[in-house]
Amino acid sequence: MKISKEAYCEKCDKDVAFNIVLETRELVIRGVTVSYEHKQARCKYCGEVVFPVSYGNENFVAMMDAYKKKVGLLTSLEIREILEIRKLTQSQLANLLCIGEKDITRYLKGNVQSKSIDNMLRLIRDDIVYKRMKLVLTN
């Protein structure tokens, strides 16, 4: 995906370069107060908030990962690291967990996994347990 360095500014009425401003925000998710670093794009010329298309859901992932961390669940990044460490595709990981591939995609995009899925992910991350799992599954 090509990352745009410009976004439309309503105040300037044109596509403009922008600066990223980080601000700590606090909110309540499922009754838990979390803080996260919110990225906000501002027009380089007038300071108006702009919305670059390429930014997708970075702020959503950041706030949900703050929640996951606070309640003791693996973050999206930690789940992605499991895929990399184990050299698994999302489909292969989903099969190990007996869930759909779209569930893995959702967890990587910030959705919250259940505690039981989180526990299984932690087992897959553990070297000894993973080696035993592979033995059982290949026999």
Side-chain angles (χ1 to χ4, degrees):
M1 173 195 279
K2 184 179 175 185
I3 296 183
S4 174
K5 304 261 188 210
E6 292 188 334
Y8 179 74
C9 175
E10 288 183 12
K11 194 171 184 180
C12 296
D13 194 25
K14 63 180 178 178
D15 286 335
V16 296
F18 57 87
N19 295 318
I20 298 298
V21 178
L22 290 177
E23 56 184 44
T24 302
R25 288 196 176 172
E26 196 172 272
L27 72 153
V28 178
I29 302 173
R30 298 181 182 179
V32 177
T33 302
V34 297
S35 295
Y36 72 102
E37 288 295 313
H38 181 85
K39 285 185 181 180
Q40 193 169 66
R42 293 196 172 267
C43 174
K44 197 171 188 176
Y45 307 103
C46 71
E48 186 76 14
V49 174
V50 295
F51 301 95
V53 174
S54 60
Y55 273 58
N57 66 349
E58 281 184 53
N59 286 325
F60 176 76
V61 172
M63 77 172 107
M64 295 311 288
D65 278 351
Y67 169 79
K68 289 179 183 183
K69 189 173 262 189
K70 189 145 188 191
V71 298
L73 297 173
L74 294 171
T75 65
S76 303
L77 178 62
E78 291 170 319
I79 295 170
R80 189 170 305 285
E81 287 171 350
I82 291 170
L83 288 168
E84 291 170 12
I85 291 166
R86 297 294 171 227
K87 296 177 178 45
L88 295 170
T89 64
Q90 289 182 32
S91 180
Q92 291 168 326
L93 181 57
N95 286 336
L96 280 173
L97 297 170
C98 299
I99 60 175
E101 186 176 342
K102 286 185 180 183
D103 291 318
I104 301 298
T105 301
R106 288 181 191 110
Y107 303 150
L108 294 172
K109 290 184 176 183
N111 287 18
V112 179
Q113 66 275 16
S114 67
K115 186 65 176 163
S116 59
I117 293 295
D118 193 80
N119 288 337
M120 290 297 295
L121 286 165
R122 290 172 189 277
L123 290 172
I124 291 169
R125 188 172 63 175
D126 181 271
D127 288 335
I128 294 170
V129 174
Y130 183 67
K131 286 177 186 174
R132 289 183 181 159
M133 285 176 91
K134 281 178 51 176
L135 282 173
V136 169
L137 295 172
T138 55
N139 288 333

